[in-house]
Amino acid sequence: MSKQPENKCLLSVAMIMKNEEHNLDRALGSIKPYVDEIIVVDTGSTDNSVEIAKKYTDKVYFHEWRDDFSEARNYSLQFPTCEWVLIYDADEEVKEDFGKIREFLASLPKDVNTVYLPTISYLDWDLKRTEVASTARIFRNGTVRYENIVHNQPIYKGKVVEAPFIIYHYGYIWTRKLKQKKYERTRNLLVKLLNEKKDMSNIERIYYLCQLYKTESMYESRYNKYPIVEEIFSLVEKEQRINSIGFEVFFLHGLDLMSKGLYDLAERMFKLVLSLNSNNPDPYYGLLGIDEARKEFDKLIPHGEKFFEQIKDVEEHPEKYGWTIITIKYKASARTLLCIGYLKAKRLKEFKENYYLIFEEAKKTGEDLPKLLKSLAKYIIELDNEDYVSLSEEIDKLLLEASQLGVRLNILDFIEKDLESGRTYNVEHYRPHVKSKFEDYVLKRLESGNDYLLDYILGEDKIEGIKKYGLGSLIFYFENFKGETTEKLKLLNEIRKSEDETLKGVSLALIGDTYLKMGNFKLALDYYKRSIDTLPELGKFIKPVLEDLKTKLDTEIDGAFEEIKEYYTKAKEFFTDLSKEFNVEELKKIYLISDSDFAKYVSSVYLYDSNIDKAKQFLEKIENKDKFYFYNFRLAKIFEKSENQEDLRKAYELHVEACKKNFNLADLGIGIYKFDGFYPSENIGSPNDEIVWVGNISEKHSGLGVISPIRAWKKANNYYYAYPFPKSEVLKVYKERLKSYKLPKFSVGMEDLLKSLNELNVNEISLLEDDEELKKTIISAVKEIGIEYKENSESIVSFELLNKEIEISKILSKYKSGLLFYFVPNFENKSDIAWYYPLFRVFRNRKAINDELEKLGIKRIKHIILTGHLRAVIFEK
């Protein structure tokens, strides 16, 4: 201990330093007006630190550095002569409010020996991100000593008080080199201490492990910190208590768990911290993050309000908090989450009160405001229209603030919502957020009302666009062009110069159509004849027009376009795969640049998977439905997603109607077998049987012209069956045709066959199906196992029975044992290919199979789950 002061001065500063020339002027210059004495102990500086220190004090001492902070600190404590000693570092600073410290100290009773002061640590060069903690900093002279070589702890006695006089700490703002140096020095000293101090208590060890954890956290090798946490937990479990620094470690570990998506573990960690100290704001911030991740929005408000209640107390009384408050630098993030809670609860008044604080707090804390605005924008868009409109001012501020920050929000979402809700918008607020040509077209349309469909699809150079995409795009252009006729004729005349005979011939025919509508019959006849000369196959479409013109010259006579369009484009939904050529998210919103039926149709097609209700709305808004050869197919697909029986029946009817109107829809996959309505089938089940699935099987397979492309799966008492139910003879033809195509096949592999046969306790076996290929497979397998293949054996193997036949009891009654393979779909996935597979007529679940087998008096039934959709059942009487 140091000697008692001989002089009656009030406050001394005790500082140890080494190479601090970049900090010293700030530290000593700011503290000098408020103290009577400054003691500086230099531990080996090689820069100008000593010279700078001597500007502020004549009490500069020298001490050899011995890798022990406490030893150096205790050495410095022998020199102060005042009543009180302030422990102060070279990377710190005080401000004017610190001047009241003298009055405060002078008023303290004699039994008070220690004063806690708050330290605000800056974490970035902009001095925006901070942490705050209160620590023992002022002691009566002679009442304190320090222990441990790093993160030295003061050992003091007597009564303790807290004071609100802030010390500002700059020591966490480092260059990369300084950061590396500080990390290595601190880590090495901590590891040395933990390894060498054998008499350290568990509580003391917990403290230094926590310090080591925090040191590892601030450097790249963060993986080093996780074993440290495990040791801390182990010691805490033994002691059932923890130092206050443990609050920080447990909270930080909770954040790590949350970042991994381990929300349950993270929640337990945050609640553990709260159980240790309920006044800590940090865990509430962690819980906010978990609430949003889990979409438990009702919890955001209580957790957010509690967070700000505690943060307010931290800011007003930082001296009360003897551990680091980490989340004071995340106020804007917490405010954003609280605002999301208010939005979800439709508490818009509270939302508005807190919303504007986000911007103020982010400017102070330096948080990632662009990220916060993007997060908030997502939830604002989800509001119902009335609430959305009521936040018009807040939305405008969001758009403007984001643009000033250089952030481009997804402006199409806002434009869609504005148009849908009727909110009064300003196009200029959108403009800074435009990040694509498509979005530029949307804004142009909002301003001018013009249609930009052709510009977007074909490009501004329409001729090059048509050359790129071919004949289908020419037809698309002709049908959707809305400008002056002269402009249309100019383009068609350019296209007719093409070396592509089809493009040339069709363009001539379309010029003829254009002149026909203009009443210029002479030119119409001329171009029609030239069209036939160029492409004779067009004659069958143009000659009827010529015949009509011979009878009566009338602009109301239909031209050749509709027949030409149907002939060349009916087999394809679009002239190109739009999803490969254009951004799908833009295709969903293409209606924003055009009110054409085509735009509505495209938006519907690409919205199908993400917003089926909106897709349906667009389809229903189409005025000329007959223009779209896949219209009924698309509408059917919307109804087929429903669980409602009436909707599923409607889906089936629409699919059939679609094929009747467009024969190509019968074979979407390979495009060979057109719809003819002749698919021999049997009457199975009841018309009232529940429908569980509807679809066009050619989307993923092919009926190869003999099995109906349109199928429903219905549920009977103990099985599911295909409707229409193909006749057995049809299946034989289909299997033969299938050999010629590389289409998906459901078959039993040798590995699954051998695995299942090994479960069957028989000496001989035969194949139920009359199929030479399957027979060869079985014979190969039984030879490997040592079973005899014998025709008419009482033990059988079947590959198709359970997926093919309704009545299986009569077939199986003559056999004593057997192995039956069968396939099942994923009953919860309507996209599962098993529903589409043409050769399947029946699906059974395990219980249905057991019921059938038990009727035959079978005693042993064993099911085997094999790969993918494949299952097997073994039976023995």
Side-chain angles (χ1 to χ4, degrees), residues 46-72:
T46 56
D47 61 4
N48 292 321
S49 295
V50 172
E51 288 75 11
I52 295 171
K54 287 180 178 179
K55 293 191 316 185
Y56 299 96
T57 180
D58 58 356
K59 296 184 178 182
V60 178
Y61 304 91
F62 300 93
H63 185 67
E64 183 182 352
W65 176 248
R66 297 170 181 165
D67 282 342
D68 189 330
F69 278 96
S70 290
E71 192 270 340

Side-chain angles (χ1 to χ4, degrees), residues 201-254:
S201 69
N202 283 342
I203 289 297
E204 197 176 5
R205 187 169 184 81
I206 290 170
Y207 173 81
Y208 286 105
L209 284 169
C210 289
Q211 291 287 6
L212 182 58
Y213 174 92
K214 290 185 67 178
T215 301
E216 296 290 8
S217 297
M218 68 187 183
Y219 200 63
E220 283 75 5
S221 55
R222 295 180 181 180
Y223 52 81
N224 288 333
K225 68 185 180 178
Y226 298 113
I228 301 170
V229 174
E230 293 178 11
E231 186 176 352
I232 293 170
F233 282 142
S234 176
L235 292 172
V236 169
E237 199 169 49
K238 287 180 183 177
E239 296 296 324
Q240 292 298 301
R241 61 196 181 102
I242 190 171
N243 322 73
S244 59
I245 191 176
F247 305 162
E248 304 168 47
V249 171
F250 287 176
F251 170 70
L252 291 170
H253 189 57

Side-chain angles (χ1 to χ4, degrees), residues 32 44 74 103 144-146 158 179 235 452 459 473 589 603 611 653 684 716 721 788 791 803 843:
K32 187 173 176 61
N74 289 332
E103 182 181 346
V144 65
R145 64 182 175 82
Y146 281 82
K179 182 178 181 181
L235 292 172
Y452 291 92
S473 64
K589 296 174 171 62
S603 290
N611 191 335
E653 293 167 2
I684 299 295
Y721 64 93
E788 182 183 356
E791 297 289 353
N803 286 122
F843 288 132

Side-chain angles (χ1 to χ4, degrees), residues 42 122 139 169 203 207 320 420 475 558 658 671 826 829 852:
D42 184 75
Y122 292 116
F139 308 93
H169 176 227
I203 289 297
Y207 173 81
K320 290 167 46 179
E420 178 188 322
I475 292 169
D558 291 332
N826 180 337
N829 180 9
E852 290 288 329

